């Protein structure tokens, strides 16, 4: 397929879409699948057929529409009407009233001018609610693969890298490393073979950003990876995706097949001299495999254990070859940057952290779901405007970002802008994008204990501080939650947290104490009020016997 | 091959490019404690005892895998490092079932030596007393997982030097264990050549020879270096050499 063929295909697809009176898009991401979108789809289809309008309407499964808490969601594209909690009855009503008579069924709609939508800025999620998640033609019609065309038809690899460098795109996996710099290192590392790896081993509790992107717009990630491959001189890419994401894997497989069929992936892409293949590798469910060196070992078929860096994967990665490894969302940002230019990208967000960030907003807020906001937006806006604040009758306590590697941010820091440095300054991290809101019913020590249990279970066991340290931290937190801890325990807990943070081998251990340290920093009294006034060893003799007895 | 000059504990040293900080330290008599490291085996940086400070970085680096750069300023004995080393040994002591008084390597144990070295006089963390297994199915050797510190020397020597890959790690986190083959009794292993290399590299009394009693088992670990050096210099009598003769 040539570039001209691709343009023709896009034009044809646009004409095909224009022939329908209504395009009805239902959310087919995992959130809405679990709340019953299949029933809604069947009912819509039946009703359309019964009323003889099936030919005038196209029913399409699209990517995540955002407000997952109100699913299943259905969007009538032509007049941008979003219906919530669509069951079979409502689905019939939509067809009978809206499609046939043109009367919007107001009582079931969500206002798209609601701050939940109005405050968002969609770049990564731009195709959600626009295109069929399983159609490459629809992706191409929505300007898809035009960035790859632009790159192949006139940009040198150096041009691509300098464009990404000027855009100041930073890694969306959490650490915020400059993507352009990473690509530049791989480009300059001498080797006959290089690789591009996409990290889709999203494992933070409550986070589903990468999954939604892969389920709703898989071609965007493939395009970003191909551009990366062209820039660094790699001909092979791998997507490492966790086995718990069957729908994402299915859509990725389909997308790769479609792209290969059209000659957009494979040898001599779009009749250029550039070859690029993408294969999927499925993880077996270890959180630590999201750490890049462990992920690389896992792709190689070995036990997923991290190794010390340096050397970094950009010098010695997959099979010791220079390897670009980026997160799903990072790759998803690449096509729009190439399409619209670096200066467009830097005009969004803040100077140090340009662009947007996708968050999975969950917990004690009125509206939960998948959101994309410009960097630099305040946490208050995210929680109270987009999320609608805590449910009636409860008060806000903290917002947790960064999952088990992040921290809890209290009320007094809510006006902090969302960017890498600001979140770090209060002991949390940007992380991959999990955001959990807690209200006054949450016990912060219990929260810390929950995350520490997660880290303890997920520690690979290679280095001593993480393997044994997380176990002891968990046991001490458990003791404090049960109101059996002493001042000595509390002091030792803090000492151990700092030690595990500073001495662990990889990011998992280095950040595992963050939830504990940040809750101690901002909610110290919740710990101290649970402590026993004296050590049991200073108590009476019977306590000593009991303690000794327990240990045996 | 280039040479770099760097400073370690206020003394200047030169290093061949590719040497690690630990190698330069050992060559010059600077003592940095280690546990998982063994000369001749690939370094894994897992025990974190050899962590050193490098000026200009807030992070700590394992000396066994970090290479000095020109002008680098390294500190190996700061108060912070000493404190962390002691805590690491403390964590290890609480993790396994280490009873020196009844152990075959009492007096010749690297963990015991480390405990003396870092001045570990008591353990502040509760002992975990894990329920670990002992496997005496092999005709000559025993693995007592109660004493294992998971340094993975046995895994590496079996894979890298003997080429058998009998040992590997099962489970994760605090539940990690060394297993033979696909978790079969050692005596039934299809791969084991009974060479005994794993027993000799084990820093503690987890791998032992049958018949040894308390305090009797002394381990000789220099052989790994001899084998590996001979291999790298091709001073090795191969099967083909014999056939040619």
């Amino acid at each position: 397929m040539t570039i001209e063929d691709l343009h023709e295909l896009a034009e044809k697809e646009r004409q095909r879409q224009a022939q329908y009176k209504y395009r009805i898009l239902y959310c087919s991401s995992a959130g809405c699948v679990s709340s019953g979108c299949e029933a809604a789809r069947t009912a819509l289809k039946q009703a359309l057929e019964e009323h003889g309008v099936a030919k005038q309407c196209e029913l399409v499964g699209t990517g995540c529409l955002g407000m997952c808490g109100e699913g299943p969601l259905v969007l009538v594209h032509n007049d941008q009407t979003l219906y919530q909690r669509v069951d079979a009855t409502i689905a019939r009503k939509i067809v009978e009233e809206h499609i046939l008579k043109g009367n919007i069924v107001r009582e079931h709609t969500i206002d798209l001018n609601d701050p939940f939508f109005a405050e968002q800025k969609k770049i990564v999620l731009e195709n959600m609610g626009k295109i069929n998640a399983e159609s490459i033609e629809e992706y191409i019609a929505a300007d898809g693969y035009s960035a790859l065309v632009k790159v192949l038809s006139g940009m040198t690899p150096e041009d691509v890298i300098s464009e990404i460098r000027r855009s100041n795109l930073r890694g969306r996996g959490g650490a915020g490393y400059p993507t352009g710099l990473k690509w530049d290192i791989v480009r300059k590392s001498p080797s006959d073979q290089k690789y591009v790896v996409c990290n889709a081993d999203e494992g933070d509790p409550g986070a589903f950003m990468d999954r939604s992107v892969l389920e709703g717009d898989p071609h965007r990630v493939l395009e970003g990876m191909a551009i990366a491959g062209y820039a660094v001189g790699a001909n092979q890419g791998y997507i490492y995706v966790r086995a718990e994401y069957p729908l994402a894997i299915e859509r990725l497989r389909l997308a790769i097949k479609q792209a290969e069929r059209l000659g957009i992936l494979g040898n001599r892409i779009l009749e250029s001299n550039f070859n690029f293949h993408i294969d999927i590798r499925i993880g077996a469910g270890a959180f630590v495999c999201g750490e890049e060196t462990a992920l690389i070992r896992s792709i190689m078929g070995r036990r997923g254990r991290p190794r010390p860096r340096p050397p970094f994967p950009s010098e010695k990665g997959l099979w010791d070859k220079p390897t670009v490894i980026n997160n799903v969302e990072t790759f998803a940002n690449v096509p729009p940057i190439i399409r619209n230019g670096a200066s467009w990208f830097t005009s969004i967000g803040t100077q140090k952290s340009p662009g947007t960030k996708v968050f999975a907003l969950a917990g004690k807020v009125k509206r939960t779901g998948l959101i994309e906001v410009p960097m630099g937006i305040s946490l208050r806006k995210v929680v109270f405007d987009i999320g609608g604040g805590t449910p009636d009758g409860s008060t806000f306590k903290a917002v947790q970002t960064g999952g088990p590697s992040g921290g809890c941010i209290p009320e007094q820091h809510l006006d902090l802008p969302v960017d890498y440095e600001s979140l770090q300054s209060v002991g949390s991290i940007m992380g991959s994008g999990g955001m959990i809101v807690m209200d006054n019913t949450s016990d912060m020590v219990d929260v810390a204990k929950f995350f520490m249990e997660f880290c303890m279970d997920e520690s690979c066991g290679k280095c001593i501080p993480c393997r044994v340290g997380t176990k002891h931290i968990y046991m001490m937190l458990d003791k404090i939650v049960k109101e059996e801890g002493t001042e000595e325990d509390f002091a030792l807990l803090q000492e151990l947290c700092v030690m595990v943070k500073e001495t662990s081998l990889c990011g998992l251990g280095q950040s595992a104490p963050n939830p504990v340290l940040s809750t101690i920093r901002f909610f110290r009294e919740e710990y101290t009020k649970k402590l026993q006034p004296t050590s049991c060893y200073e108590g009476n003799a019977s306590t000593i016997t009991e303690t000794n007895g327990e240990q045996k | 091959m280039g040479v770099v000059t760097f400073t370690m504990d206020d003394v200047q040293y030169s290093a061949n490019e590719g040497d690690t900080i630990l190698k330069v330290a050992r060559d010059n008599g600077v003592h940095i404690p280690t546990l998982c490291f063994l000369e001749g085996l690939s370094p894994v940086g897992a025990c974190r005892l050899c962590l050193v400070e490098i000026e200009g970085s807030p992070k700590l680096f394992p000396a066994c895998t970090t290479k000095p750069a020109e002008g680098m300023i390294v500190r190996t004995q700061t108060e912070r490092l000493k404190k962390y080393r002691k805590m690491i040994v403390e964590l290890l002591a609480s993790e396994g079932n280490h009873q020196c008084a009844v152990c075959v390597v009492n007096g010749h144990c690297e963990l015991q030596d480390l405990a003396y070295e870092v001045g570990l006089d008591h353990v502040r963390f509760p002992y975990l007393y894990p329920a670990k297994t002992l496997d005496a199915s092999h005709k000559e050797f025993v693995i007592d997982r109660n004493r294992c510190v998971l340094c993975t020397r046995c895994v590496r020597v079996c894979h890298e030097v003997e080429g058998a890959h009998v040992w590997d790690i099962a489970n994760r986190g605090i539940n990690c264990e060394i297993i033979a083959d696909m978790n079969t009794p050692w005596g039934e292993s299809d791969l084991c050549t009974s060479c005994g290399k794993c027993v000799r590299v084990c820093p503690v009394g987890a791998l032992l020879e049958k018949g040894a009693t308390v305090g009797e088992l002394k381990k000789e670990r220099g052989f790994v270096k001899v084998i590996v050096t001979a291999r790298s210099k091709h001073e090795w009598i191969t099967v083909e050499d014999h056939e040619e003769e």
Side-chain angles (χ1 to χ4, degrees):
Chain A
M1 174 170 274
T2 62
I3 290 167
E4 288 72 41
D5 294 341
L6 196 75
H7 290 313
E8 203 177 299
L9 194 141
E11 196 41 53
K12 242 191 200 159
E13 173 61 25
R14 283 188 206 109
Q15 281 170 9
R16 190 193 68 80
Q17 284 177 24
Q19 69 183 359
Y20 294 108
K21 192 171 167 210
Y22 282 109
R23 258 164 77 78
I24 307 168
L25 299 124
Y26 66 94
C27 174
S28 65
S29 266
C32 282
V33 169
S34 55
S35 55
C37 74
E38 191 49 38
R41 188 193 72 87
T42 324
L44 282 169
K45 191 161 177 263
Q46 266 178 5
L48 288 173
E49 278 165 8
E50 277 170 30
H51 294 285
V53 286
K55 287 229 167 86
Q56 302 159 31
C57 301
E58 197 190 12
L59 188 58
V60 174
T62 190
C64 185
L65 292 171
M67 218 185 252
C68 306
E70 309 299 326
L73 299 167
V74 172
L75 180 77
V76 180
H77 193 255
N78 309 55
D79 43 19
Q80 288 293 304
T81 315
L82 183 62
Y83 290 101
Q84 58 174 333
R85 297 178 191 268
V86 180
D87 55 16
T89 335
I90 299 174
R92 286 195 157 274
K93 238 185 191 172
I94 294 172
V95 173
E96 282 157 13
E97 292 295 320
H98 191 160
I99 305 299
L100 291 177
K101 299 181 194 156
N103 302 326
I104 294 169
V105 191
R106 297 256 172 236
E107 64 267 34
H108 300 300
T109 57
I110 305 176
D111 185 6
L112 286 176
N113 295 320
D114 188 283
F116 182 87
F117 299 100
E119 295 286 348
Q120 293 195 48
K121 168 88 193 163
K122 300 214 170 179
I123 296 176
V124 170
L125 306 179
E126 63 184 349
N127 282 339
M128 306 288 169
K130 272 191 195 157
I131 66 162
N132 183 341
E134 295 183 349
S135 160
I136 188 170
E137 287 83 9
E138 293 206 15
Y139 179 70
I140 292 169
D143 270 347
Y145 289 114
S146 65
L148 185 62
V149 167
K150 186 174 171 186
V151 162
L152 293 178
S153 60
M155 286 174 89
T156 63
E158 286 79 8
D159 289 344
V160 178
I161 289 175
S162 87
E163 192 72 19
I164 298 294
R165 287 201 71 163
R166 274 190 289 120
S167 79
N168 207 1
L169 173 67
R170 298 173 66 176
R172 297 296 195 247
Y177 192 81
T179 305
L181 185 59
K182 197 184 261 184
W183 291 15
D184 203 24
I185 297 169
V186 177
R187 164 118 206 117
K188 286 173 180 160
S189 296
S191 176
D192 51 348
Q193 176 71 58
K194 293 170 188 179
Y195 295 102
V196 173
V197 174
C198 173
N199 184 348
D201 191 58
E202 182 177 53
D204 291 1
F208 52 92
M209 301 74 55
D210 297 345
R211 189 187 70 193
S212 302
V213 173
L214 293 176
E215 286 173 356
D217 204 2
H219 286 288
R220 167 179 296 265
V221 180
L222 303 185
E223 187 178 3
M225 286 178 73
I227 293 169
Y230 177 77
V232 304
N235 63 5
Q236 176 68 49
Y238 290 98
I239 302 177
Y240 187 88
V241 54
R242 56 193 304 220
E244 290 88 337
Y245 286 179
L247 187 60
I249 294 168
E250 192 189 307
R251 297 242 165 103
L252 271 174
R253 282 207 175 117
L254 182 69
I256 292 172
K257 211 179 268 176
Q258 289 170 339
E260 281 172 350
R261 199 187 60 220
L262 293 184
I264 295 172
L265 283 179
N267 289 334
R268 292 186 47 77
I269 290 175
L270 299 171
E271 316 233 322
S272 70
N273 288 327
F274 173 54
N275 306 331
F276 194 70
H277 300 261
I278 296 180
D279 284 313
I280 299 175
R281 289 289 177 274
I282 297 169
F287 178 68
V288 75
C289 286
E291 199 278 344
E292 54 182 18
T293 58
L295 187 149
I296 283 169
R297 284 178 64 92
S298 183
I299 290 182
M300 289 157 65
R302 303 215 213 135
R303 183 181 164 95
R305 286 192 140 188
R307 61 158 176 80
R309 299 174 303 177
F312 286 88
S314 35
E315 291 164 55
K316 270 189 161 192
L318 209 50
W319 290 288
D320 282 347
K321 304 292 184 190
T323 303
V324 166
I325 174 160
N326 280 132
N327 170 265
V328 171
E329 200 185 325
T330 316
F331 282 124
N333 268 301
V334 170
I337 292 174
I338 298 292
R339 248 188 284 137
N340 305 323
S343 46
W344 162 80
F345 193 72
T346 48
S347 70
I348 303 157
T350 66
Q351 198 195 349
K352 274 185 150 181
S353 313
T356 59
K357 180 78 193 83
V358 182
F359 286 101
L361 187 62
K364 298 288 175 60
V365 277
K366 283 184 186 145
R367 288 186 289 269
T368 58
L370 189 74
I371 59 166
E372 182 172 358
V373 290
M375 293 273 193
I377 190 173
S378 75
L379 280 167
R380 192 180 296 280
K381 260 200 164 145
V382 174
V383 174
F384 287 94
D385 293 349
I386 295 177
T390 50
D392 299 329
S394 69
T395 51
F396 173 87
K397 190 173 200 175
V399 54
Q400 211 275 351
T401 67
S405 318
C408 296
I409 300 163
E411 169 89 43
Q412 74 254 34
H413 291 298
L414 267 189
D415 291 311
L416 219 60
V418 173
D419 62 55
Y420 295 94
E421 282 75 20
S422 304
L423 291 179
Q424 222 157 36
S425 72
V426 289
S428 187
I429 59 164
M430 176 79 89
S432 56
M435 198 179 264
I436 300 165
V437 180
M438 295 163 200
D439 68 2
N440 52 346
T441 57
S442 300
D443 175 349
M444 300 315 276
V445 189
D446 216 35
V447 168
K449 187 184 134 187
F450 168 82
F451 283 115
M452 190 47 69
E453 185 176 12
F454 181 86
C455 290
M456 176 181 81
D457 286 341
E458 295 295 343
S459 165
C460 77
K462 180 172 179 175
C463 75
I464 300 162
C466 177
R467 182 179 76 225
V468 194
T470 53
K471 171 83 181 168
H472 281 300
I473 296 174
Y474 171 76
M475 283 166 55
M476 282 190 242
L477 288 171
D478 187 51
K479 209 171 158 188
I480 294 174
V481 167
K482 287 180 180 154
E483 305 200 359
E484 290 165 3
T486 62
E487 291 283 350
E488 289 84 43
D489 290 326
F490 188 49
L492 191 58
L493 170 71
Q494 294 174 65
E495 193 184 330
L496 186 59
C497 280
V498 176
M499 179 264 187
V500 171
K501 193 178 163 81
E502 293 202 346
T503 59
S504 288
L505 196 161
C506 80
L508 196 161
Q510 286 163 8
S511 60
N514 282 352
V516 185
L517 289 169
S518 83
T519 47
I520 291 179
R521 179 169 162 192
F522 295 120
F523 302 95
R524 197 185 184 86
E525 72 292 343
E526 294 203 20
Y527 283 85
T528 49
K529 77 178 180 207
K530 289 191 181 67
L531 297 178
Q532 293 300 309
T534 53
S535 155
C536 64
Y537 294 104
E538 291 162 23
N540 58 33
S542 67
T543 331
I544 297 171
T545 335
E546 267 172 37
T547 316
N548 287 346
E550 264 177 24
Q551 286 189 346
K552 292 225 172 86
Chain B
M1 200 187 264
V3 176
V4 294
T5 313
F6 72 108
T7 309
M8 181 159 58
D9 297 335
D10 301 323
V11 182
Q12 284 205 312
Y13 296 94
S14 64
N16 284 321
E17 215 175 306
D19 283 355
T20 62
I21 294 175
L22 184 68
K23 179 165 191 321
V24 180
R26 293 251 162 119
D27 288 350
N28 291 285
V30 176
H31 178 72
I32 300 174
T34 56
L35 181 63
C36 62
F37 179 82
L38 187 68
E39 199 170 343
L41 300 182
S42 63
V44 287
C47 73
R48 318 306 284 169
L49 280 163
C50 70
L51 286 180
V52 294
E53 288 178 11
I54 293 174
E55 205 167 280
S57 172
K59 287 195 169 180
L60 302 173
F61 294 86
C64 64
T65 62
T66 309
K67 289 163 186 156
E70 186 63 40
M72 191 184 260
I73 298 171
V74 180
R75 288 198 183 78
T76 69
Q77 304 294 335
T78 63
E79 286 311 309
R80 175 165 75 137
L81 293 172
K82 282 183 191 164
K83 181 181 150 191
Y84 288 161
R85 284 172 190 158
K86 188 171 174 179
M87 280 179 88
I88 287 169
V89 181
E90 192 180 359
L91 287 174
L92 272 181
S94 76
E95 183 194 18
N97 297 316
H98 301 289
Q99 315 292 345
C100 299
V102 292
C103 183
V104 281
V105 294
N106 189 8
H108 326 287
C109 171
E110 290 188 37
L111 181 63
Q112 201 176 35
D113 294 346
L114 277 170
Y116 282 123
E117 184 188 332
V118 300
L120 185 73
D121 44 16
H122 69 290
V123 174
R124 294 169 295 169
F125 305 108
Y127 289 99
L128 299 177
Y129 296 121
K132 296 281 179 186
T133 55
L134 181 147
D135 178 357
S137 59
H138 193 279
K139 62 184 187 303
E140 287 173 55
F141 311 119
V142 177
I143 178 167
D144 184 353
R145 299 187 173 92
N146 291 291
R147 298 171 182 156
C148 179
V149 290
L150 292 165
C151 67
T152 69
R153 280 188 194 174
C154 53
V155 177
R156 284 174 283 154
V157 81
C158 192
H159 174 75
E160 295 168 13
V161 181
E162 180 62 10
H165 204 128
V166 174
W167 298 118
D168 215 321
I169 309 145
N171 308 330
R172 63 188 187 208
I174 197 75
N175 301 315
C176 275
E177 268 184 1
I178 300 293
I179 55 162
D181 289 6
M182 301 300 278
N183 203 7
T184 53
W186 191 0
E188 293 167 24
S189 165
D190 294 331
L191 303 173
C192 182
T193 60
S194 301
C195 70
K197 289 186 179 71
C198 54
V199 177
R200 286 156 82 187
V201 298
C202 179
V204 291
L207 285 162
L208 56 128
E209 288 162 11
K210 281 188 178 170
T213 183
V214 175
E216 272 188 359
L217 190 60
K218 277 190 190 173
K219 293 185 176 181
E220 185 275 313
R221 299 179 180 102
F223 76 95
V224 181
K225 187 185 166 187
V226 175
I227 295 175
V228 174
T229 312
R231 252 183 214 175
S232 66
K233 291 184 177 170
H234 299 287
E235 292 170 355
W236 202 254
I237 303 163
T238 61
V239 182
E240 292 86 47
D241 295 336
H242 280 290
E243 282 170 355
E244 277 168 27
E245 283 164 18

